[in-house]
Amino acid sequence: MLKSGTLITVKREADEKKNAVYHGPRFDVYAEDEHGTIYDLEMQNQNHHDIEKRMTIYQGKLETQALYAGQSFSERRQTVILFLCDHDVYNLNQVHYQLIPQLVGHPEILIDNGETNVIVNLKGNASRQATLNQEMLTYFNDGTVTGKFSAALEQAVREVKNDAKKEENYMTIEEYAARQSAYARKEGREEERMETIKGLVKLNFTKEQVIDFLIQNLNLNQQEASQAYNQAMATA
């Protein structure tokens, strides 16, 4: 999945929230290795269906440190976002998913933009993976140390926990409440939208009429309205 290197800088909960207007991420673990590669490791225990968009924001912050003034673009440092999820984001029973940019119309041509985005499914079938990945998945699933790599992870986690006890939690209660409220509003809007669609169908609206209603009254575009209709009908 990823080539291992020696980490020379590790920071826990690196705070990039410098702006009161625009959203800034809080890196769970920020690290750099001897090759200059920059890493962000994130733990995700809930599926809010926005992980790809989150990755782009985190990559944006890493990219500001990937190139020094006066350097050519070819010297851009590699940036890696690694999300460890206790759920299968895409329900394909794979242990990990790597998101890569492709040339439209030519999927065989991969674009190397210096970014690596990987989602690890901690509930996936570890038997399919190399020994090192199996060891990592076993550790993150049940905390069992099975080798040198997981022993090093255990020590790192212990140090982070001990360090965290000395200071306040990094995400304030207000920030956490605001984020949860945003998710709740989004889920509420979607639920209300589903009921609206089902109600229109009961009134004998055709699919085209429902989609037109959503576009005109709920400010959705054609694709969003069509997807909303299909989702509602799938749960009808």
Side-chain angles (χ1 to χ4, degrees):
M1 181 170 60
L2 293 172
K3 295 181 179 179
S4 59
T6 301
L7 298 180
I8 57 176
T9 301
V10 178
K11 300 177 183 177
R12 58 173 180 77
E13 284 277 8
D15 189 357
E16 292 293 330
K17 193 172 181 62
K18 306 293 186 182
N19 193 297
V21 176
Y22 298 108
H23 185 82
R26 295 179 184 274
F27 300 133
D28 284 354
V29 177
Y30 172 95
E32 299 179 18
D33 66 19
E34 78 275 20
H35 304 298
T37 301
I38 307 171
Y39 301 86
D40 169 39
L41 176 66
E42 298 292 324
M43 297 294 296
Q44 185 78 10
N45 58 13
Q46 293 183 355
N47 188 1
H48 293 300
H49 308 286
D50 60 2
I51 195 167
E52 299 89 352
K53 294 181 176 64
R54 288 186 64 189
M55 281 182 159
T56 62
I57 296 298
Y58 282 70
Q59 279 286 2
K61 285 298 181 181
L62 292 186
E63 287 169 0
T64 61
Q65 305 170 55
L67 193 67
Y68 294 110
Q71 286 186 309
S72 68
F73 290 111
S74 62
E75 296 177 277
R76 181 199 189 280
R77 300 162 70 187
Q78 295 290 315
T79 53
V80 178
I81 303 291
L82 184 64
F83 268 77
L84 305 180
C85 301
D86 67 352
H87 52 275
D88 191 343
V89 173
Y90 299 112
N91 296 315
L92 296 175
N93 197 31
Q94 292 183 204
V95 174
H96 71 269
Y97 304 97
Q98 183 171 352
L99 311 185
I100 56 176
Q102 296 177 331
L103 189 63
V104 175
H106 299 275
E108 74 282 2
I109 300 179
L110 306 182
I111 309 302
D112 181 12
N113 58 2
E115 297 180 4
T116 299
N117 295 298
V118 176
I119 300 171
V120 177
N121 171 23
L122 296 176
K123 301 303 182 184
N125 185 358
S127 64
R128 300 179 181 179
Q129 298 299 303
T131 301
L132 185 64
N133 290 337
Q134 289 183 34
E135 190 175 341
M136 181 185 71
L137 292 172
T138 299
Y139 174 77
F140 279 112
N141 271 309
D142 57 26
T144 302
V145 174
T146 57
K148 292 182 178 180
F149 178 72
S150 53
L153 278 175
E154 172 75 7
Q155 178 61 31
V157 169
R158 189 180 298 114
E159 290 176 0
V160 168
K161 286 182 177 179
N162 290 337
D163 198 16
K165 290 177 182 177
K166 300 175 185 177
E167 299 182 16
E168 295 294 328
N169 290 330
Y170 297 93
M171 183 179 292
T172 66
I173 294 175
E174 290 81 4
E175 288 172 326
Y176 177 80
R179 178 174 296 182
Q180 293 304 107
S181 177
Y183 286 130
R185 288 197 302 273
K186 181 176 183 292
E187 291 173 359
R189 287 196 300 270
E190 290 179 350
E191 183 177 349
E192 182 179 347
R193 184 187 303 161
M194 295 299 102
E195 293 303 315
T196 298
I197 294 171
K198 293 175 183 178
L200 292 174
V201 171
K202 288 181 180 179
L203 293 174
N204 297 319
F205 274 54
T206 66
K207 178 179 179 179
E208 290 72 22
Q209 288 174 322
V210 172
I211 290 175
D212 184 64
F213 178 91
L214 297 176
I215 293 172
Q216 298 298 325
N217 295 279
L218 299 184
N219 297 320
L220 301 182
N221 60 36
Q222 182 73 32
Q223 182 179 0
E224 291 170 337
S226 180
Q227 288 177 344
Y229 177 88
N230 291 336
Q231 287 177 337
M233 291 301 95
T235 59

